[in-house]
C-alpha cells in the first residue's frame, strides 16, 4: 500500500505538499512495502486455499477491526486521496474491515478498508502497491487527483459484490470509466474462485483466476512475470485495450511471439528496490523454492544498506518445495525475517524483512471451496507486527458484534507515539495496543525478551488453531443464518478475549522483568511450559464458544494474569521459534495508501473503549519542527522513489 494522507486535503485543493519537517524525517524512506501471499489448496495440509497480505507503514501505527453496516440505495463512496466518487444504486452489503485511525484522515472513519469479508462471503485483501514503466506511463498516465484508488477499493468490492467475479467486473468497469489513481494488486475471493486483480496503467487492468497448484509471493514488484491467455474469459478478465493500446503506442512486448502483459506494463528490474527483492528472496526460501545466491541474485551493500539484486525478472507464481503447508506455517510466513538466508537475515545482517518492525496489520484468509459462502472463509487477523503477534480467527461474513477488546476508532492514537511502554501502559482493554507493546519490547530487547515471547505466542497461536477446529465443526453443523450469526459473534468474542487475557498477562510480566533490571537470565513467561513449548494453562476459546448457557456481552476487565481454565488435550507443538533481530533493520519502502469507504457506524458488542481524537502525526510535526513547503512535483518524486 502507499498511504498519501499527509497531503490529502492539499491534493484536493491542488496545493503543494506542506507539513512539518519532523514528519518528513519520521516517514518511511521507501515508497512501497507490503508483502502479498497466496497458496493454492492442492499445496495445503487441510486442502484449503489461503491468501493474505502484510501491510508495512510504521513501527507503531494503530489499526482497527470493525463492521460496516449495510446501507440503502444511494450510498456514496468517496475518497480523500482523489476526487473519486461512486454512488450505489442498490442496497449495500454488510462487511468487516480493517481500517486506519480517523486522526490520520481528517476525522474520517472510513479510511482504507484493507481486509474483510462481506455477508455474501466475498473477501478481499487490498492493496499491494506496484509500479508501471515509463513507456506505459507516457501512453496512459495515472492522474493521482482523480480515479479509483486504494482508499476505496476494499469498500466498493465488499459493499457491492455478491461474488468475487462480480467484484472484479465492477472494479474493471469503474477503471474503464474513471481511471485509477494508483498502481496496485488486489486479491478477491469467494467460496468458489480466487482472483488476482492488477491495475496496469490509468485505464488498463487485468484479473487472473488463481489456480490450485501454485503459490505466489509479491513484495510490491509490478514486473514479476506470468503467462496468461487473454482470450480465456473464464480465467482471465481485462480491459478492452490491454493489448491494442501498447501496440498502437509502440511499447508492446512479446515473449516467444506472445503478447507479454507483465513485460509490457511492469517496472524494469533496475526500477525495483533492493528491499523488495530482499523480501522476495526471503519468501522463496521460506517456501522451499530458493533462489541461488550469485546465480539468481547478488547481495548489494553500500551507504544505503544491504539488500538483494536479481539478474533477471522472477515469476509471480511458483511451485513450493513441499506440499502440506499448515495454517500455522502460513501465518508464520508473514513473520519471516530471512533467518535461513545468509547475508539477507534481518537477525544478523540488518536487512529489511517480510516480518519487519514496520508491519502494522496482517490478514490471512482460509477458504474452504464449495462450502456455504457464510461459513466458507475464516479471517485470521493480526493487528500488529507479525514477528511477535497472534492471528485471531474470525467468521467475518457473519459477525455483527465486535469484541470490545478490539479497540474501536474512538480510542486515542496517542499511545502510538509512546517510546517507553514499560512505564506507560496502553489504553485499557485493547488487544490492538497490547500486541503493539509486546512487539515493541521484543524488537527493543530481542535477546532477553524476544526468543521466549515468540515461543509463547507460537504456543498460543497453535491452541487457537486447534480449538478453532472444534468451533468450526459446530459452525458447519449449524444450518440457519440466525444460529450461525450468534455462534460467529460468540466465537469472535471468545477468541479475542482469550487472546487478550493471555497477552495482557504476558505484557505485564515483560514490564515487570524490564523494571527489575536483572538481565542475568532471559525472560521466561510464567505460563510457558519450557519442556513442551506449550501453555501451562490452556485457553478456553472452544469451551466458551460452545457453552450452552446464555452469553452476555463480554465486559472488559484488567487481568494481570490468565485464569485457570480446565486443561484440554495438548495442541500441536509450534516449530522452533524464530530468532529475533539483533540489529536495527534498514527501512524499506513506505506503503502509502489511502483508503476510504464512507462515514460509517462501528457495530460493537459490549462496552467500547473511548479516547480523545487528534491528528497525531500532523500536530506533532507542526509543534516540533514548524512547516516545510514542498512542491507537488517533489512529493510525486518522493512517492516514486524506491530506495
Amino acid at each position: 500500500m502507499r498511504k498519501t494522507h499527509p497531503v490529502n486535503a492539499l491534493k484536493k485543493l491542488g496545493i503543494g505538499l506542506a507539513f512539518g519537517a519532523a514528519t518528513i524525517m519520521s516517514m518511511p524512506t521507501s515508497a512501497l512495502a507490503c508483502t502479498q501471499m497466496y497458496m493454492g489448496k492442492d499445496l495445503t495440509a487441510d486442502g484449503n486455499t489461503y491468501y493474505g497480505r502484510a501491510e508495512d507503514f510504521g513501527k507503531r501505527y494503530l489499526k482497527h477491526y470493525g463492521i460496516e453496516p449495510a446501507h440503502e440505495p444511494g450510498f456514496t463512496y468517496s475518497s480523500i486521496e482523489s476526487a473519486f466518487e461512486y454512488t450505489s444504486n442498490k442496497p449495500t452489503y454488510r462487511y468487516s474491515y480493517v481500517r486506519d485511525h480517523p486522526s490520520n484522515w481528517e476525522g474520517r472513519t472510513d479510511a482504507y478498508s484493507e481486509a474483510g469479508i462481506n455477508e455474501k462471503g466475498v473477501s478481499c485483501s487490498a492493496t499491494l502497491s506496484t509500479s508501471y514503466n515509463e513507456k506505459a506511463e507516457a501512453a496512459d498516465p495515472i492522474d493521482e487527483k482523480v480515479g479509483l484508488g486504494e482508499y476505496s477499493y476494499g469498500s466498493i468490492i465488499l459493499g457491492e459484490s455478491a461474488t468475487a467475479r462480480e467484484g472484479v467486473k465492477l472494479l474493471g468497469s469503474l477503471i474503464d470509466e474513471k481511471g485509477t489513481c494508483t498502481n496496485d494488486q488486489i486479491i478477491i475471493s469467494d467460496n468458489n474462485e480466487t482472483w488476482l486483480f492488477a491495475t496496469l496503467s490509468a485505464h488498463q487492468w487485468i484479473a487472473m483466476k488463481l489456480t490450485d497448484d501454485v503459490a505466489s509471493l509479491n513484495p510490491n514488484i509490478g514486473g514479476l512475470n506470468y503467462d496468461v491467455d487473454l482470450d480465456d474469459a473464464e480465467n482471465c478478465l481485462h480491459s478492452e485495450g490491454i493489448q491494442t493500446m501498447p501496440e498502437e503506442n509502440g511499447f508492446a512486448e512479446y515473449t516467444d511471439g506472445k503478447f507479454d502483459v507483465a513485460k509490457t506494463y511492469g517496472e524494469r528490474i533496475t526500477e525495483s528496490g533492493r528491499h523488495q527483492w530482499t523480501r522476495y528472496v526471503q519468501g522463496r526460501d521460506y517456501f522451499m523454492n530458493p533462489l541461488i545466491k550469485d546465480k539468481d541474485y547478488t547481495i548489494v551493500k553500500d551507504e544505503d544498506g544491504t539488500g538483494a539484486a536479481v539478474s533477471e525478472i522472477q515469476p509471480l507464481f511458483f511451485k513450493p518445495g513441499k506440499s502440506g503447508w499448515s495454517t500455522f506455517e502460513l501465518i508464520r510466513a508473514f513473520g519471516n525475517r530471512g533467518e535461513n538466508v545468509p547475508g539477507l537475515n534481518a537477525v544478523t545482517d540488518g536487512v529489511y524483512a517480510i516480518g519487519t518492525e514496520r508491519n502494522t496489520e496482517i490478514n490471512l484468509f482460509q477458504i474452504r471451496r464449495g462450502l456455504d459462502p457464510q461459513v466458507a472463509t475464516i479471517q485470521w487477523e493480526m493487528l500488529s507486527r507479525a514477528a511477535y503477534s497472534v492471528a485471531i480467527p474470525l467468521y467475518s461474513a457473519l459477525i455483527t458484534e465486535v469484541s470490545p477488546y478490539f479497540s474501536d476508532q474512538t480510542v486515542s492514537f496517542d499511545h502510538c507515539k509512546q517510546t517507553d511502554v514499560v512505564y506507560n501502559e496502553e489504553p485499557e482493554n485493547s488487544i490492538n495496543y497490547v500486541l503493539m507493546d509486546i512487539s515493541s519490547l521484543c524488537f527493543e530487547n530481542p535477546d532477553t525478551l524476544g526468543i521466549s515471547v515468540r515461543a509463547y505466542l507460537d504456543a498460543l497461536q497453535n491452541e487457537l488453531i486447534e480449538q478453532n477446529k472444534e468451533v468450526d465443526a459446530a459452525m458447519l453443523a449449524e444450518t440457519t443464518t440466525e444460529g450461525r450469526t450468534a455462534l460467529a459473534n460468540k466465537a469472535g468474542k471468545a477468541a479475542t478475549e482469550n487472546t487478550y487475557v493471555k497477552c495482557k498477562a504476558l505484557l505485564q510480566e515483560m514490564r515487570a522483568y524490564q523494571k527489575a533490571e536483572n538481565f542475568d537470565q532471559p525472560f521466561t513467561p510464567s505460563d510457558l511450559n519450557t519442556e513442551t513449548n506449550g501453555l501451562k494453562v490452556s485457553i478456553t476459546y472452544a469451551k466458551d464458544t460452545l457453552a450452552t448457557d446464555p452469553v452476555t456481552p463480554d465486559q472488559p476487565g484488567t487481568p494481570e494474569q490468565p485464569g485457570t481454565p480446565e486443561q484440554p488435550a495438548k495442541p500441536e507443538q509450534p516449530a522452533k521459534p524464530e530468532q529475533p533481530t539483533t540489529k536495527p533493520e534498514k527501512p524499506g519502502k513506505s506503503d502509502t495508501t489511502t483508503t476510504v469507504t464512507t462515514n460509517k457506524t462501528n457495530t460493537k458488542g459490549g462496552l467500547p473503549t473511548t479516547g480523545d481524537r487528534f491528528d497525531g502525526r500532523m500536530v506533532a510535526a507542526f509543534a516540533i519542527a514548524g512547516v516545510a513547503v514542498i512542491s507537488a512535483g517533489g512529493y510525486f518524486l518522493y512517492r516514486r522513489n524506491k530506495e
Side-chain angles (χ1 to χ4, degrees):
M1 63 174 283
R2 58 168 77 71
K3 285 193 172 69
T4 58
H5 59 271
V7 293
N8 290 328
L10 299 176
K11 284 177 65 180
K12 291 181 72 174
L13 297 173
I15 301 174
L17 176 63
F19 55 100
T23 298
I24 299 171
M25 295 298 292
S26 68
M27 289 184 71
T29 59
S30 64
L32 305 175
C34 290
T35 305
Q36 177 179 277
M37 298 184 193
Y38 168 82
M39 187 69 69
K41 70 181 186 65
D42 293 352
L43 304 172
T44 62
D46 55 17
N48 297 328
T49 297
Y50 289 82
Y51 78 89
R53 187 181 64 96
E55 176 196 336
D56 302 353
F57 184 70
K59 293 182 179 180
R60 293 178 62 82
Y61 192 76
L62 187 63
K63 308 295 291 191
H64 302 276
Y65 175 84
I67 302 296
E68 177 75 18
H71 299 279
E72 295 298 319
F75 180 79
T76 297
Y77 303 85
S78 63
S79 172
I80 292 179
E81 72 178 337
S82 75
F84 172 82
E85 286 190 352
Y86 173 70
T87 299
S88 178
N89 60 7
K90 64 180 183 180
T92 70
Y93 299 121
R94 182 192 70 246
Y95 62 88
S96 69
Y97 60 74
V98 178
R99 289 178 179 162
D100 285 9
H101 193 274
S103 64
N104 295 306
W105 297 97
E106 302 173 359
R108 289 185 65 158
T109 58
D110 57 355
Y112 191 42
S113 301
E114 64 185 72
I117 312 173
N118 72 14
E119 61 186 282
K120 294 295 184 179
V122 176
S123 61
C124 81
S125 181
T127 62
L128 182 86
S129 301
T130 57
S131 296
Y132 58 171
N133 61 52
E134 292 181 355
K135 293 181 179 179
E137 181 179 10
D140 188 23
I142 287 173
D143 185 346
E144 296 185 348
K145 296 178 183 178
V146 299
L148 174 62
E150 296 182 280
Y151 195 93
S152 306
Y153 285 137
S155 298
I156 288 178
I157 293 165
L158 297 176
E160 298 292 313
S161 308
T163 67
R165 186 179 290 261
E166 187 177 310
V168 167
K169 290 181 177 180
L170 175 60
L171 281 193
S173 67
L174 289 173
I175 292 171
D176 289 340
E177 177 187 354
K178 300 173 181 290
T180 182
C181 63
T182 52
N183 283 115
D184 303 292
Q185 289 187 9
I186 306 159
I187 296 183
I188 310 170
S189 189
D190 58 26
N191 60 326
N192 293 315
E193 299 179 333
T194 300
W195 290 81
L196 176 62
F197 186 103
T199 59
L200 305 171
S201 64
H203 298 88
Q204 304 305 324
W205 57 272
I206 189 170
M208 297 170 283
K209 187 164 72 172
L210 302 182
T211 62
D212 297 330
D213 59 348
V214 299
S216 181
L217 169 82
N218 192 345
N220 305 110
I221 302 173
L224 295 178
N225 61 41
Y226 50 87
D227 183 26
V228 62
D229 182 357
L230 296 178
D231 296 324
D232 181 4
E234 175 61 27
N235 297 295
C236 178
L237 299 171
H238 55 80
S239 52
E240 183 177 354
I242 190 172
Q243 181 171 346
T244 57
M245 189 276 286
E247 288 176 339
E248 291 169 358
N249 286 274
F251 70 97
E253 296 280 353
Y254 300 85
T255 298
D256 297 329
K258 182 179 180 181
F259 178 69
D260 191 318
V261 177
K263 188 184 294 186
T264 296
Y265 290 95
E267 60 194 330
R268 307 305 179 215
I269 290 179
T270 55
E271 296 172 332
S272 299
R274 71 181 62 178
H275 301 314
Q276 292 158 288
W277 286 117
T278 297
R279 285 179 284 142
Y280 187 85
V281 172
Q282 292 168 341
R284 286 283 297 269
D285 178 83
Y286 184 91
F287 290 119
M288 300 183 181
N289 186 343
L291 272 63
I292 307 302
K293 183 176 177 292
D294 297 327
K295 176 187 175 187
D296 299 318
Y297 72 95
T298 57
I299 296 176
V300 180
K301 296 183 179 182
D302 56 28
E303 64 276 6
D304 293 325
T306 301
V310 296
S311 55
E312 61 182 24
I313 202 69
Q314 296 297 315
L316 178 59
F317 306 106
F318 61 91
K319 300 282 188 180
K322 71 161 194 170
S323 57
W325 292 92
S326 69
T327 306
F328 178 82
E329 289 174 314
L330 293 170
I331 290 172
R332 293 302 307 131
F334 289 105
N336 173 24
R337 295 179 57 74
E339 291 87 347
N340 297 318
V341 185
L344 295 178
N345 183 344
V347 175
T348 57
D349 303 311
V351 299
Y352 201 79
I354 294 171
T356 174
E357 192 174 1
R358 293 178 56 248
N359 289 156
T360 63
E361 179 268 342
I362 298 89
N363 52 79
L364 180 70
F365 294 93
Q366 176 185 359
I367 304 162
R368 290 83 65 80
R369 292 283 179 237
L371 293 185
D372 188 304
Q374 290 184 334
V375 297
T377 304
I378 301 170
Q379 179 175 349
W380 294 88
E381 187 60 46
M382 284 185 272
L383 291 182
S384 190
R385 292 155 279 189
Y388 303 103
S389 192
V390 179
I392 298 173
L394 300 161
Y395 291 87
S396 294
L398 291 159
I399 287 177
T400 59
E401 300 173 1
V402 178
S403 167
Y405 290 99
F406 278 126
S407 291
D408 68 15
Q409 290 173 301
T410 64
V411 72
S412 172
F413 193 80
D414 276 1
H415 194 65
C416 290
K417 303 191 302 297
Q418 186 56 251
T419 57
D420 180 2
V421 299
V422 174
Y423 289 92
N424 295 279
E425 294 194 11
E426 76 288 346
E428 190 175 11
N429 305 311
S430 172
I431 187 63
N432 319 49
Y433 273 130
V434 164
L435 290 173
M436 183 187 293
D437 286 357
I438 287 173
S439 183
S440 290
L441 288 174
C442 287
F443 274 107
E444 292 165 6
N445 305 278
D447 296 323
T448 55
L449 292 176
I451 297 174
S452 62
V453 169
R454 182 64 262 166
Y456 183 80
L457 295 175
D458 283 349
L460 176 56
Q461 186 68 77
N462 268 307
E463 287 213 356
L464 283 166
I465 292 170
E466 289 303 308
Q467 292 195 24
N468 196 64
K469 294 176 182 177
E470 187 177 352
V471 172
D472 192 59
M475 181 64 76
L476 298 182
E478 178 59 58
T479 58
T480 68
T481 297
E482 182 180 8
R484 288 171 174 174
T485 298
L487 187 58
N489 287 334
K490 198 173 178 183
K493 292 177 183 179
T496 307
E497 183 174 7
N498 272 263
T499 303
Y500 173 82
V501 168
K502 289 290 190 182
C503 289
K504 176 62 176 180
L506 171 66
L507 177 57
Q508 294 298 74
E509 290 185 3
M510 294 167 69
R511 285 174 169 147
Y513 175 84
Q514 291 298 109
K515 290 176 182 178
E517 297 185 355
N518 181 7
F519 306 123
D520 293 338
Q521 295 295 325
F523 170 76
T524 301
S526 64
D527 191 37
L528 177 65
N529 185 327
T530 56
E531 294 182 359
T532 65
N533 272 341
L535 303 182
K536 290 181 179 179
V537 179
S538 289
I539 60 174
T540 57
Y541 163 43
K543 179 182 177 182
D544 297 344
T545 301
L546 303 178
T548 56
D549 53 298
V551 178
T552 57
D554 48 349
Q555 298 300 316
T558 53
E560 291 293 317
Q561 298 292 334
T564 55
E566 76 178 57
Q567 188 84 17
K570 182 193 289 186
E572 173 187 352
Q573 295 303 316
K576 184 177 179 181
E578 297 176 340
Q579 298 300 311
T581 181
T582 58
K583 291 185 179 181
E585 53 193 80
K586 282 284 181 182
K589 296 200 156 319
S590 111
D591 250 349
T592 11
T593 13
T594 118
T595 314
V596 170
T597 70
T598 88
N599 285 333
K600 54 76 190 126
T601 301
N602 285 320
T603 306
K604 292 280 184 174
L607 302 176
T609 306
T610 60
D612 298 328
R613 294 189 181 191
F614 82 109
D615 191 335
R617 293 189 179 189
M618 299 292 285
V619 173
F622 279 105
I624 296 172
V627 177
V629 179
I630 301 174
S631 68
Y635 171 66
F636 180 82
L637 292 176
Y638 158 75
R639 284 185 59 191
R640 295 301 178 192
N641 174 23
K642 290 278 200 310
E643 296 300 331

